[in-house]
Amino acid sequence: MKKSDIYEVAIKILGIYLLVADISKLPGLITFISNHASSPVEQQAADQGSLLIVNGLNFIFLIVLAVILISGTKRITRWITNESDYQENAKLFAERKVIYEISLVIIGGLLLVSTIPDFLYHLYTLANVSEQSSVISAGAKIFIGILTVAFAKRIGAYFAR
């Protein structure tokens, strides 16, 4: 494996992380939008509309950035490496597919570990509609984390192509 291959793997892992992290924020954004749409205009704070726009644009920006990092890995690698990186060999402990699998398990595990306490707290204090939407949002994040960990081999094989 060449040194430039390590750059490619690192860039793609960053793109995968951004994609999973952004998708995990989608349930919260949907909950925010539904709460914003269901509340009367008189009860909405002046900043709530701006916050909705900022969160929506942030979501779109991160998705676009993740897609650019994942799909344009080779082009980005050419921009940040020099000629010696394509000739210099580097030893890694595993192949690309295994590195992607490990990173997906770590990303999914971090998502699970960071979400489960919040989910349990909201489940314990489940009393009103906003708590219900928080439970649904956290549950969706847990589901995404489980999918990321459970299908790490398949997703890793896909990105290794």
Side-chain angles (χ1 to χ4, degrees), residues 16-26 62 107 111 141:
I16 293 168
Y17 172 74
L18 284 175
L19 186 65
V20 171
D22 202 31
I23 290 173
S24 70
K25 290 180 182 181
L26 184 61
L62 288 178
I107 291 168
L111 185 60
K141 284 183 181 181

Side-chain angles (χ1 to χ4, degrees), residues 61-102:
F61 173 74
L62 288 178
I63 285 287
V64 169
L65 183 60
V67 168
I68 288 171
L69 287 174
I70 291 170
S71 65
T73 303
K74 293 212 181 280
R75 183 176 297 134
I76 295 168
T77 302
R78 276 187 266 144
W79 291 340
I80 62 172
T81 57
N82 53 31
E83 291 300 318
S84 65
D85 293 335
Y86 289 95
Q87 297 163 355
E88 188 177 339
N89 285 330
K91 275 189 125 176
L92 289 179
F93 66 93
E95 296 177 9
R96 286 178 186 229
K97 179 184 169 205
V98 176
I99 293 171
Y100 291 138
E101 289 174 25
I102 292 169

